[in-house]
Amino acid sequence: MELYGAWLENKIDFNGRRRYSSVSIWLPDDRFALEGEKLEREGCKLLAECILRPNAKNGAFDAEITRLMRTELIDSIDSVINDKRSLAGYRGAKIAYEGEPASELIQGTHEQAEQVTPESAYKAYRRMLERGHIEIYASGRSDFAESEKILSEVFTGIDRGKGGEICSLCAKPSALKPQPRYVTENFPMQQAITRMYFKAPDMDDRFANVLLGMILGGMTTSRFFENIREKQSLCYYCSSVTHRLSKELLVYSGIEPQNAERTQAAVFAEIDDVCRNGVTEEELERAKLEVIDGIPAVYDTVGGIANWYMGQLHDEEYITPEEYVEKIRAVTAERVRAVCKMYSPDTIFTLSGEEAGE
């Protein structure tokens, strides 16, 4: 309250294929302080205290708080399992990314959550501080010299040994299976959800890849929407997204169980058509506009700016939103076609209301 409603947040998520835990603080710039308070300095100290001085004694977190957080974690895992789309994503990922970090829920499993103790949680916390790769992002009007000084002093006091390396596995594309795997799992539900994973481990044209995902199923004028949903009425929705770090194209659709194979065949047909005949200039321009129109939103919040650069951690260099727009504008139809030809089916997963097996 003394920092004008500063907002502290902690979360776990995926950045590409790498799990991360973040602690963040948002607060007004010093120039808005009514009494000349140094908000950045005080906020940075508060953030450092939250990270480095948790409610713990003798190598263990508070037992009651740990119990409450364990219950909350288990509830979070249950919420994924009880939501059909999330469940399909989880079950499909276990097959598509077998042996990779992305094959598991961010929250972990029931069994892992139930085994957490005040001591094991504290040990994991210390391992992150001492061995984890740490990135510090700051965005706003300040030069953040004072924040850098405070946090440098704070982390200097931690013995980090040889830690801090980014997991090499997380920076690699997802491995393509020798043969595509088709799996259908039965679940008590009325409809079905199909997730189709295509991988291109050698693909290096990230900008053409973005536009390919938009043209196939990333906008309301996409091929999947117009040809599979509208013209053939095979699904409730059929969309696609590309992931540049794992170098994959994910197609996901909601369908009636009896339409699963026809929908999958229709998806294959659209991808094959792009490979053989390419995309039209009209499709390309619509996709470019769709992508470019969303870029200015990066500047809507300081968090958006930080997230923009955090998402480029594994890249050889950081690029600004403006540079990104120019690279998107430069993509040709032939580049989109070339990227599409590099993709191969890896996993076709269906969560279905009908009885079916692998």
Side-chain angles (χ1 to χ4, degrees):
M1 291 173 62
E2 292 176 351
L3 291 175
Y4 298 82
W7 174 27
L8 274 162
E9 179 187 59
N10 169 243
K11 67 178 180 179
I12 54 172
D13 208 338
F14 275 111
N15 182 338
R17 299 173 59 232
R18 187 187 71 258
R19 275 192 193 88
Y20 73 92
S21 176
S22 67
V23 185
S24 309
I25 188 168
W26 285 262
L27 66 163
D29 189 79
D30 285 357
R31 62 199 171 101
F32 295 112
L34 299 178
E35 303 296 334
E37 298 95 336
K38 299 297 183 181
L39 301 180
E40 179 189 336
R41 180 181 64 198
E42 296 305 315
C44 193
K45 287 181 178 179
L46 178 61
L47 181 65
E49 184 174 357
C50 288
I51 295 172
L52 298 171
R53 295 181 59 191
N55 184 12
K57 293 180 180 179
N58 301 320
F61 286 118
D62 180 86
E64 178 60 16
I65 291 177
T66 302
R67 184 189 67 80
L68 292 172
M69 292 299 98
R70 184 170 56 237
T71 300
E72 185 174 307
L73 177 59
I74 291 172
D75 289 343
S76 175
I77 295 170
D78 287 340
S79 71
V80 172
I81 296 172
N82 292 332
D83 178 79
K84 305 304 184 293
R85 286 197 191 188
S86 298
L87 178 62
Y90 167 51
R91 296 299 302 159
K94 283 191 72 68
I95 300 165
Y97 311 123
E98 185 176 3
E100 302 173 16
S103 66
E104 298 295 340
L105 289 177
I106 295 172
Q107 301 93 325
T109 66
H110 255 264
E111 293 73 19
Q112 291 170 333
E114 289 166 354
Q115 292 172 8
V116 174
T117 66
E119 292 78 14
S120 69
Y122 186 80
K123 184 178 180 179
Y125 153 72
R126 291 303 307 182
R127 186 168 62 248
M128 283 195 297
L129 282 182
E130 296 166 5
R131 298 292 179 265
H133 179 85
I134 297 175
E135 290 280 329
I136 300 174
Y137 292 86
S139 61
R141 291 176 60 93
S142 171
D143 62 5
F144 297 104
E146 189 160 24
S147 293
E148 184 175 353
K149 179 177 182 294
I150 292 170
L151 292 174
S152 295
E153 292 173 352
V154 164
F155 283 103
T156 298
I158 300 174
D159 180 11
R160 292 188 37 84
K162 296 181 180 180
E165 293 297 324
I166 301 179
C167 170
S168 59
L169 174 64
C170 302
K172 295 179 180 178
S174 184
L176 175 66
K177 294 178 177 56
Q179 295 294 330
R181 188 174 177 191
Y182 289 76
V183 178
T184 300
E185 291 187 4
N186 185 46
F187 196 79
M189 54 192 285
Q190 295 297 314
Q191 297 162 356
I193 299 171
T194 289
R195 295 176 69 88
M196 305 173 68
Y197 299 80
F198 299 81
K199 298 180 181 178
D202 297 326
M203 187 270 299
D204 59 4
D205 192 341
R206 58 179 282 200
F207 303 101
N209 192 39
V210 168
L211 295 177
L212 172 66
M214 298 299 295
I215 291 169
L216 287 174
M219 51 188 181
T220 54
T221 57
S222 69
R223 292 191 173 209
F224 294 161
F225 185 88
E226 291 188 340
N227 298 335
I228 301 177
R229 183 186 185 276
E230 296 296 292
K231 292 181 181 178
Q232 300 183 61
S233 301
L234 287 175
C235 55
Y236 302 108
Y237 60 89
C238 187
S239 302
S240 66
V241 63
T242 55
H243 299 294
R244 62 186 180 85
L245 291 179
S246 54
K247 298 186 179 181
E248 65 174 321
L249 166 71
L250 170 62
V251 180
Y252 51 99
S253 56
I255 53 180
E256 292 294 330
Q258 65 270 20
N259 288 333
E261 291 187 5
R262 291 177 62 199
T263 301
Q264 292 165 14
V267 168
F268 281 124
E270 292 296 335
I271 294 176
D272 182 63
D273 183 68
V274 173
C275 291
R276 288 186 294 105
N277 303 313
V279 300
T280 67
E281 288 299 325
E282 182 181 0
E283 286 178 312
L284 183 63
E285 287 307 309
R286 283 203 303 257
K288 287 181 179 181
L289 286 174
E290 189 82 17
V291 173
I292 291 170
D293 285 350
I295 296 301
V298 170
Y299 293 110
D300 286 351
T301 65
V302 291
I305 299 171
N307 287 334
W308 174 266
Y309 290 100
M310 188 171 72
Q312 301 179 62
L313 177 59
H314 283 298
D315 296 331
E316 294 181 359
E317 62 178 353
Y318 288 107
I319 64 172
T320 66
E322 292 77 16
E323 290 170 329
Y324 183 89
V325 166
E326 290 308 308
K327 291 181 181 295
I328 288 291
R329 290 189 196 278
V331 174
T332 63
E334 186 52 42
R335 284 171 59 185
V336 174
R337 181 188 181 193
V339 164
C340 192
K341 291 170 71 174
M342 298 187 75
Y343 275 110
S344 298
D346 178 273
T347 301
I348 313 300
F349 174 80
T350 303
L351 187 70
S352 179
E354 287 188 334
E355 295 234 1
E358 180 176 346

